Amino acid sequence: MINLILFGPPGSGKGTQAAKLVEKYDLLHISTGDLFRYEMGNDTELGKQAKEFIAKGELVPDSVTIGMLKNKVNANSDVAGYIFDGFPRTIPQAEALDVFLSEKNESVSALIALDVDDEEIVQRILNRGKTSGRPDDNDESIIRNRIEVYKSETSPVFDYYAQSNKSVKINGLGSIEDIFERLCDKIDQL
Ligand code: C5P
Ligand code: MG
């Protein structure tokens, strides 16, 4: 089973690349951001809990996010593997994922980080905001806060998996096809 963490700052292309990887490798794409947006769209209890954090570009509390992730995996166990997109976002989320997978005799196969600089990210997200309908994509100060949160809370997850030699970084600039090829090169080595 492949348990791939697709990593990188907001706007680095994780969702775009995950959609292509799913076709090639027959994996289930789990985007915690998409799951939150679905819950918010349906005005569920979970959506209400997440909304205030997402609006500010802050992280939803670990317990909420981890619970949601586990439910999604458990409801879709009959797959060749998973692409985790936007999760784990914190060290406690990474630790919880490791325990959760080990209970299934599974483990994280690799973490692949898409490397994109801050100014490119801001431009990409503002551009995406024109069509995404996401309030958190349409305000530059919120976008910059998301980048700061990524640096302080999320980027340590790269180092966490580097300890077991699972973290790799690829250049996230260039055409969608070029980046996809770089990703496939890494995945085919697993
Ligand atoms: O992954 P994505 O950028 O779509 O996530 C959108 C927002 O959802 C994040 O800015 C954050 O507020 C929230 N989120 C979170 N924890 C996660 C994933 C997303 O708090 N693991
Ligand atoms: Mg995304």
Side-chain angles (χ1 to χ4, degrees), residues 143-160:
I143 295 170
R144 293 205 183 268
N145 189 45
R146 289 163 65 195
I147 295 172
E148 286 315 307
V149 169
Y150 174 80
K151 287 181 182 166
S152 59
E153 298 192 51
T154 304
S155 66
V157 172
F158 183 92
D159 305 317
Y160 173 86

Side-chain angles (χ1 to χ4, degrees), residues 57-95:
E58 301 287 334
L59 293 183
V60 178
D62 287 330
S63 58
V64 176
T65 306
I66 291 164
M68 180 178 73
L69 185 280
K70 287 183 179 178
N71 285 340
K72 183 72 182 178
V73 169
N74 286 334
N76 296 276
S77 53
D78 194 19
V79 294
Y82 302 94
I83 300 175
F84 299 105
D85 160 6
F87 183 93
R89 265 307 213 274
T90 62
I91 295 285
Q93 288 178 23
E95 291 170 343

Side-chain angles (χ1 to χ4, degrees), residues 8-158:
S12 57
K14 302 185 294 294
T16 302
Q17 295 297 332
K20 292 174 68 67
L21 291 172
V22 159
E23 282 183 36
K24 179 164 179 183
Y25 296 97
D26 198 27
L27 304 169
L28 180 71
H29 174 206
I30 302 183
S31 158
T32 40
D34 287 349
L35 293 177
F36 282 131
R37 284 183 285 277
Y38 176 82
E39 298 286 338
M40 290 190 293
N42 287 294
D43 211 20
T44 63
E45 209 38 58
L46 181 64
K48 286 177 196 157
Q49 278 178 294
K51 199 167 189 159
E52 52 174 315
F53 298 99
I54 294 177
K56 290 184 281 191
E58 301 287 334
L59 293 183
V60 178
D62 287 330
S63 58
V64 176
T65 306
I66 291 164
M68 180 178 73
L69 185 280
K70 287 183 179 178
N71 285 340
K72 183 72 182 178
V73 169
N74 286 334
N76 296 276
S77 53
D78 194 19
V79 294
Y82 302 94
I83 300 175
F84 299 105
D85 160 6
F87 183 93
R89 265 307 213 274
T90 62
I91 295 285
Q93 288 178 23
E95 291 170 343
L97 178 63
D98 284 350
V99 170
F100 178 60
L101 290 176
S102 71
E103 286 166 358
K104 301 174 185 297
N105 292 317
E106 289 291 336
S107 61
V108 167
S109 313
L111 177 154
I112 308 181
L114 298 168
D115 194 18
V116 181
D117 62 85
D118 292 1
E119 292 317 305
E120 169 78 13
I121 285 168
V122 173
Q123 290 316 313
R124 283 190 192 181
I125 297 180
L126 283 171
N127 202 37
R128 179 173 73 185
K130 291 175 194 162
T131 53
S132 72
R134 288 174 53 174
D136 61 340
D137 281 353
N138 274 291
D139 179 313
E140 187 165 336
S141 67
I142 291 172
I143 295 170
R144 293 205 183 268
N145 189 45
R146 289 163 65 195
I147 295 172
E148 286 315 307
V149 169
Y150 174 80
K151 287 181 182 166
S152 59
E153 298 192 51
T154 304
S155 66
V157 172
F158 183 92

